[in-house]
Amino acid sequence: MQKIIGIIASNLELKKRIEKLYYQDVKDKNIIIDIIDMDLLEEQGKMLVDKGAQVIIGRGGGYKLILDTVNVPVIPLNMKIIDLLKAIKEASSYSKKVVLILGYDEVDFDYDKWRGIIDVDISEEWFKSKYEIRNKVIKYIEKKDDVVIVGSGIACSFAKQYNMDNVFIDASDDSIKEAIEYSKNLLETVEKEKFDNEILRNILDGVKDGIIAIDNNGNILLYNDTAMKIMKVDKKDVSNRYILDVFPNMEWLLECLHTKKDSKRKIRHIYNSVVNTNAKLIKVDGHIYGAIGIIQDITKLQNLERKIRADLNKKGLYARYTFSDFMFKDKVTNEFIEEAKRIGRTDYTTLLYGESGAGKEILAQSMHNISKRKDKTFVAINCATISENLLESELFGYEEGAFTGAKKGGKPGLFELAHEGTLFLDEINSLPLNFQTKLLRVIEERQIMRIGSDHIIPLDIRIIAATNEFLTEKIRDNSFRADLFYRLSSLEINIPPLRERKEDIVPLFEHFVDKILKNSNIDDLNKVVKNSKLNKEDIDKLKAYNWPGNVRELKNIAQKYVVTGKIKLDYIINKFDYISIDRDYKDEYKNTELDYTNININMKEINSFVEQKIIDMLLNQGLSKTEVSQILGISRTALWKKCNKNI
């Protein structure tokens, strides 16, 4: 069977380029190309289908125009940033104001970030619907002598109608090849999948549900064991019988045939059972051969939902926390919470700053749960915990046979699992420099390719990143890419450490204690803890402490308090608060007068020295690196880096 790709080219030049790139396919009529006709905009997709096109490729507004008018797949000819920049450069030669007319989903272009590089006066006009394009052009008719329109085929065609200067954003050869090769691969499988998707998917994938299939006359063709248990009628009593003669209350399945439309899920009462039902047409090559009714027992459905939620929790794909989980009284906390709520409702990439244990992931989950993506997945990735050699396969996924040990059937990456949801990149500062380039490309293009695959997978994700270090300093020492930083930091939220939120310490501590007492299985907990509040000495002790581990450390102290009835901070305080550089050198400088005019203090070196002294002291006391990293409130990877930095 011949597989035909239809293309709507924006102009003659694009058509000729495609003919040159795919000469044999065009000659064999495996590719048919039409040029946009302004008088037939709404009909061109249908005309290509009438010529035999089984998939259609369109660009910009042309893609939007045919998307809802045909019943074959429509593939976008993607626009690249470099294509747009070339068009802007060409338009600048007109010495006029440049007007960009672009669809929101055509290209991810932020003029404000390019303003310092593009020395051109630009106005942006973005459209959502195909019907907005003409009006966007007409808006500038009175100023047509002072502007040049830059856009895709339809925008430029309208500009030509009104004698306005225009520059077409041409598609690169790579974009053309990408769209055509994707379409070819799609057509390779479409014939086989017609039957599988319309019948086997509804039957074999749904065998745990009750299934009743009927032909065009309403006679029962299929009736499985689950349906028999729900309907309480034996198989031998239903075969080839008219469905209403056996089940008078199943007229909804016949209605699907009469309307020639699949029915939506609906709760119904059948034989004293409450079930969830829906119906789907059986279609092959556009012809209707009957309908399938699917009946789901509500009890089983509820159990399945609980299992799905449990699986999502295990995989970390479910955001448990909301802003109501934040316990606070300090006005500093209130300020960043309100800022996070405003940003959370948007879809912009956001960068969170905060020390380890300050609550960055809880804040990210809360922002997800206030956004339009709240019902979708939340995928959290700790960049510091994945070894460099596994990063690409874990984040991007891989195909079967991509490398030795690859799972049968391949594996989706974490980016792919976050599709339509939120991706949280924690400790982004720990990413290896060579991987940052790949991450930047994914963030900009919003698409990935699995290892061992030649298929592009488009992504619709909101990205929230977090760091416990200032990335500007890492940029200066060449350990973090500046372009990745600017792409991530369109919006920033700083989470102050707990020591700067003094009014939050006691309420948080009491909250953790109450929660531990309610959830604990220990029968003989300290009665003092159960029946009394903190005294002034305890409160002063909590507020005076520096909390290097932030909220995470506070929770640990609350756990110890529940068990012992005492707030034990002395062990940790002795390790930090009483360390003094002066103590190491007091004998040497005891009677020495300092010449203050010649003193040159390097705070960075002092901080590094003190930090190393603390680490050495804890390790020398027999603590493991895991215990030291927990005490300091940093990851084990960060501790390893600090130790090796001073070797």
Side-chain angles (χ1 to χ4, degrees):
M1 179 180 175
Q2 187 177 18
K3 300 173 180 60
I4 301 174
I5 299 172
I7 301 176
I8 297 181
S10 304
N11 53 34
L12 180 60
E13 191 273 334
L14 179 58
K15 179 182 179 182
K16 289 181 177 179
R17 285 174 56 210
I18 297 172
E19 289 173 339
K20 183 177 179 181
L21 288 169
Y22 289 89
Y23 171 79
Q24 194 61 45
D25 282 320
V26 174
K27 182 180 177 182
D28 295 339
K29 296 185 179 180
N30 294 324
I31 294 178
I32 51 179
I33 309 169
D34 284 350
I35 298 175
I36 282 181
D37 187 333
M38 298 303 292
D39 297 325
L40 297 172
L41 285 176
E42 298 286 347
E43 303 297 324
Q44 283 198 278
K46 296 178 182 177
M47 291 167 64
L48 278 171
V49 172
D50 291 340
K51 293 177 183 178
Q54 298 152 316
V55 61
I56 297 176
I57 297 173
R59 179 86 185 278
Y63 165 74
K64 289 180 172 293
L65 279 168
I66 60 175
L67 194 58
D68 301 322
T69 63
V70 296
N71 59 356
V72 300
V74 182
I75 308 300
L77 183 54
N78 291 326
M79 182 185 299
K80 307 292 186 183
I81 290 288
I82 189 65
D83 302 334
L84 178 57
L85 295 177
K86 286 179 181 178
I88 292 173
K89 182 178 180 181
E90 182 181 343
S92 66
S93 64
Y94 286 78
S95 300
K96 296 181 178 182
K97 184 168 188 170
V98 174
V99 178
L100 289 180
I101 300 180
L102 299 168
Y104 281 105
D105 54 359
E106 281 190 279
V107 65
D108 184 10
F109 177 70
D110 187 344
Y111 174 49
D112 289 336
K113 292 184 178 179
W114 289 91
R115 195 183 296 273
I117 300 174
I118 304 173
D119 187 18
V120 182
D121 187 11
I122 293 177
S123 287
E124 298 173 86
E125 296 289 343
W126 296 86
F127 61 84
K128 293 181 180 178
S129 167
K130 57 193 176 185
Y131 304 107
E132 298 177 31
I133 304 174
R134 183 191 294 270
N135 291 335
K136 296 293 184 182
V137 176
I138 291 175
K139 180 178 177 180
Y140 291 89
I141 284 183
E142 294 182 0
K143 302 176 182 178
K144 67 179 183 179
D145 293 333
D146 302 316
V147 301
V148 53
I149 303 295
V150 175
S152 52
I154 294 181
C156 290
S157 296
F158 281 133
K160 289 175 184 176
Q161 282 187 358
Y162 301 116
N163 296 318
M164 301 172 71
D165 289 330
N166 60 89
V167 174
F168 170 63
I169 303 173
D170 208 355
S172 66
D173 287 353
D174 287 340
S175 296
I176 295 170
K177 291 177 181 177
E178 183 180 296
I180 291 178
E181 293 306 316
Y182 180 84
S183 299
K184 283 185 175 183
N185 290 332
L186 181 65
L187 290 177
E188 283 292 330
T189 57
V190 72
E191 185 175 7
K192 179 180 179 298
E193 289 181 352
K194 281 181 182 178
F195 185 81
D196 292 345
N197 288 344
E198 295 302 327
I199 297 181
L200 295 180
R201 180 174 59 86
N202 289 304
I203 296 176
L204 299 179
D205 291 348
V207 291
K208 292 183 180 179
D209 300 324
I211 296 175
I212 301 177
I214 60 174
D215 62 18
N216 281 331
N217 297 318
N219 296 320
I220 298 173
L221 299 173
L222 177 67
Y223 180 74
N224 73 350
D225 289 341
T226 307
M228 183 174 66
K229 292 176 182 177
I230 295 173
M231 308 302 287
K232 297 179 174 60
V233 179
D234 198 270
K235 285 184 177 181
K236 64 182 180 181
D237 297 325
V238 303
S239 182
N240 294 321
R241 292 185 61 185
Y242 183 60
I243 190 165
L244 295 186
D245 290 343
V246 185
F247 307 116
N249 53 359
M250 289 194 67
E251 69 283 348
W252 50 273
L253 188 52
L254 283 175
E255 185 180 353
C256 175
L257 277 179
H258 295 154
T259 61
K260 297 182 179 180
K261 291 182 179 178
D262 295 345
S263 71
K264 295 182 179 179
R265 295 183 181 276
K266 187 174 181 179
I267 304 298
R268 304 178 192 273
H269 292 269
I270 298 180
Y271 292 116
N272 298 321
S273 297
V274 181
V275 295
N276 182 48
T277 66
N278 72 309
K280 292 181 178 293
L281 294 169
I282 302 173
K283 292 194 297 184
V284 179
D285 290 334
H287 298 289
I288 298 173
Y289 288 92
I292 292 178
I294 301 175
I295 307 170
Q296 298 172 311
D297 184 277
I298 289 295
T299 304
K300 291 183 179 179
L301 197 63
Q302 290 172 337
N303 291 336
L304 178 62
E305 181 183 358
R306 283 193 290 269
K307 183 179 184 300
I308 290 172
R309 286 189 174 274
D311 288 344
L312 288 177
N313 274 317
K314 288 177 183 177
K315 293 180 180 178
L317 304 183
Y318 176 70
R320 295 185 294 117
Y321 295 102
T322 66
F323 283 107
S324 62
D325 292 310
F326 278 87
M327 302 289 297
F328 64 90
K329 285 188 177 180
D330 202 297
K331 63 179 183 180
V332 172
T333 309
N334 184 66
E335 287 176 2
F336 84 76
I337 291 293
E338 290 303 313
E339 181 182 14
K341 287 180 179 179
R342 291 193 298 272
I343 294 175
R345 293 187 180 95
T346 72
D347 213 29
Y348 296 120
T349 300
T350 306
L351 183 62
L352 308 181
Y353 282 96
E355 295 179 2
S356 294
K360 297 187 288 297
E361 182 167 353
I362 294 177
L363 189 66
Q365 289 191 23
S366 302
M367 292 171 68
H368 169 81
N369 278 329
I370 205 174
S371 73
K372 65 181 182 181
R373 300 175 183 267
K374 61 184 178 182
D375 295 324
K376 304 297 182 180
T377 55
F378 177 88
V379 179
I381 305 168
N382 190 319
C383 301
T385 61
I386 304 177
S387 62
E388 186 173 349
N389 60 330
L390 291 178
L391 265 174
E392 190 167 0
S393 62
E394 287 296 315
L395 300 187
F396 300 157
Y398 54 81
E399 295 292 344
E400 181 177 340
F403 50 83
T404 303
K407 286 184 179 180
K408 186 176 181 180
K411 177 184 175 183
L414 295 175
F415 276 90
E416 201 173 331
L417 293 175
H419 180 60
E420 295 187 335
T422 299
L423 180 68
F424 177 54
L425 299 170
D426 197 8
E427 294 197 52
I428 191 76
N429 47 294
S430 300
L431 276 182
L433 193 61
N434 64 334
F435 191 79
Q436 293 174 26
T437 306
K438 298 177 182 178
L439 176 61
L440 176 63
R441 179 175 176 82
V442 172
I443 293 174
E444 287 185 338
E445 300 293 339
R446 286 298 197 274
Q447 58 186 26
I448 60 166
M449 183 183 293
R450 289 186 183 183
I451 297 174
S453 172
D454 58 358
H455 297 294
I456 296 294
I457 301 174
L459 298 174
D460 172 19
I461 53 176
R462 195 261 178 98
I463 294 175
I464 300 176
T467 174
N468 54 19
E469 297 179 280
F470 286 107
L471 296 183
T472 49
E473 295 181 4
K474 293 183 72 65
I475 292 172
R476 280 194 288 270
D477 64 21
N478 295 320
S479 61
F480 201 87
R481 291 181 61 99
D483 46 5
L484 177 57
F485 167 72
Y486 293 126
R487 194 67 184 82
L488 291 169
S489 61
S490 56
L491 291 171
E492 297 180 357
I493 299 175
N494 181 46
I495 305 175
L498 188 58
R499 59 183 169 276
E500 295 178 12
R501 299 183 273 144
K502 295 291 187 183
E503 297 305 314
D504 288 347
I505 294 173
V506 174
L508 272 173
F509 184 85
E510 291 176 341
H511 168 72
F512 288 141
V513 169
D514 290 341
K515 191 173 181 180
I516 294 165
L517 286 171
K518 288 178 182 177
N519 297 334
S520 178
N521 293 322
I522 303 175
D523 295 327
D524 190 26
L525 287 173
N526 191 290
K527 293 180 180 179
V528 176
V529 174
K530 282 186 176 181
N531 302 316
S532 67
K533 294 291 183 180
L534 293 170
N535 58 40
K536 185 177 184 303
E537 181 183 351
D538 288 335
I539 291 173
D540 291 342
K541 187 184 294 185
L542 289 171
K543 287 187 175 182
Y545 183 50
N546 201 39
W547 298 109
N550 290 288
V551 179
R552 186 184 293 126
E553 183 183 3
L554 180 66
K555 186 176 181 180
N556 291 338
I557 297 300
Q559 289 174 333
K560 295 176 183 177
Y561 176 68
V562 168
V563 176
T564 66
K566 298 178 181 179
I567 295 177
K568 295 187 176 182
L569 294 173
D570 293 344
Y571 172 78
I572 303 176
I573 289 175
N574 287 336
K575 302 293 183 291
F576 294 97
D577 291 358
Y578 302 142
I579 293 174
S580 170
I581 300 174
D582 195 42
R583 185 168 55 190
D584 293 336
Y585 299 100
K586 61 183 180 180
D587 294 334
E588 184 177 349
Y589 295 104
K590 188 173 182 180
N591 300 313
T592 303
E593 290 189 9
L594 297 176
D595 181 3
Y596 294 102
T597 60
N598 294 322
I599 293 177
N600 182 14
I601 298 176
N602 188 322
M603 289 302 298
K604 188 173 182 180
E605 289 184 5
I606 292 175
N607 290 337
S608 178
F609 176 81
V610 173
E611 184 179 71
Q612 188 60 39
K613 284 291 183 182
I614 293 170
I615 293 171
D616 290 344
M617 181 181 63
L618 293 176
L619 291 174
N620 290 336
Q621 290 187 11
L623 296 177
S624 68
K625 287 187 177 180
T626 299
E627 291 171 329
V628 172
S629 63
Q630 289 175 347
I631 291 172
L632 296 179
I634 61 177
S635 68
R636 200 174 187 279
T637 302
L639 178 66
W640 182 85
K641 290 180 179 179
K642 292 179 185 297
C643 291
N644 283 273
K645 182 178 179 182
N646 293 282
I647 292 176

